[in-house]
Amino acid sequence: GPVLGSRFPGLRASYRGRDITLIEEFAGRNGTVFIASRSLDWCPYCMRQMIQLQQWRAEFEAAGIGLVAMTYDPPQLQQAFIDRHAITIALLSDTDGLSFKTLGILNEQYRRGDSRYGMPHPGMIVINPQGEVVGKLFLEDYSVRVDAAAALAFSRQVLGIR
């Protein structure tokens, strides 16, 4: 992923029918946690993580931390998950994998033409209010995710929130 201390790069994703290149609109006053997720259509680990993050959203907001997630799913598949689980976390779609590639987290195991092409290595990137990457949480095993409580504690620590 992006180097600690570097500026979080621009993206090319869609959100609610419009193109997104910057994530500032999703930031909290103290920073942002960007969640890279494989799929909310077929990945049970991703679904479980997103539901848990939604349950903890108020705690992130109270700490002044915005949450924004991105998958390679087309928007209509994301919407089905959003509706089914009342997800209010902003969910971006990176259907061509370009944003994940720019971030350095595209899963290179899959090639163009493969149904799983465009999928990221799942994890989280913590960004301060100045747009600088101050923390990253990525685990080798795609079936294991950092739980929401630990993600909040880590984010508070790297953002300097008491």
Side-chain angles (χ1 to χ4, degrees):
V3 177
L4 289 177
S6 70
R7 200 151 168 71
F8 189 81
L11 304 173
R12 194 176 90 198
S14 65
Y15 174 67
R16 294 187 176 170
R18 60 189 173 90
D19 293 334
I20 296 290
T21 56
L22 301 171
I23 62 167
E24 279 80 7
E25 70 182 270
F26 309 110
R29 71 183 179 282
N30 292 321
T32 311
V33 174
F34 174 86
I35 303 117
S37 194
R38 291 158 38 107
S39 173
L40 296 174
D41 181 47
W42 55 262
C43 174
Y45 316 108
C46 305
M47 293 178 206
R48 188 170 35 241
Q49 178 189 39
M50 194 60 57
I51 292 166
Q52 185 187 59
L53 285 166
Q54 179 64 46
Q55 292 165 344
W56 278 76
R57 184 171 184 199
E59 284 84 351
F60 279 88
E61 284 181 355
I65 302 169
L67 294 173
V68 59
M70 187 161 63
T71 74
Y72 85 135
D73 299 316
Q76 62 273 22
L77 292 181
Q78 290 180 334
Q79 193 60 51
F81 181 82
I82 289 166
D83 294 344
R84 195 165 49 251
H85 298 286
I87 301 298
T88 59
I89 295 168
L91 196 48
L92 311 181
S93 176
D94 181 28
T95 54
D96 63 6
L98 186 64
S99 293
F100 291 134
K101 190 170 190 162
T102 299
L103 290 167
I105 58 173
L106 180 69
N107 188 329
E108 302 283 349
Q109 179 181 345
Y110 305 103
R111 300 279 167 232
R112 282 201 184 278
D114 187 306
S115 66
R116 303 258 164 112
Y117 178 78
M119 188 171 62
H121 293 287
M124 298 181 188
I125 300 169
V126 184
I127 305 136
N128 71 14
Q130 292 73 44
E132 179 183 333
V133 175
V134 294
K136 299 186 285 189
L137 291 168
F138 285 85
L139 302 174
E140 282 295 315
D141 184 349
Y142 69 85
S143 67
V144 177
R145 302 299 163 88
V146 176
D147 72 39
L152 177 59
F154 176 77
S155 299
R156 290 177 67 99
Q157 178 188 349
V158 299
L159 290 167
I161 302 168
R162 297 192 184 279

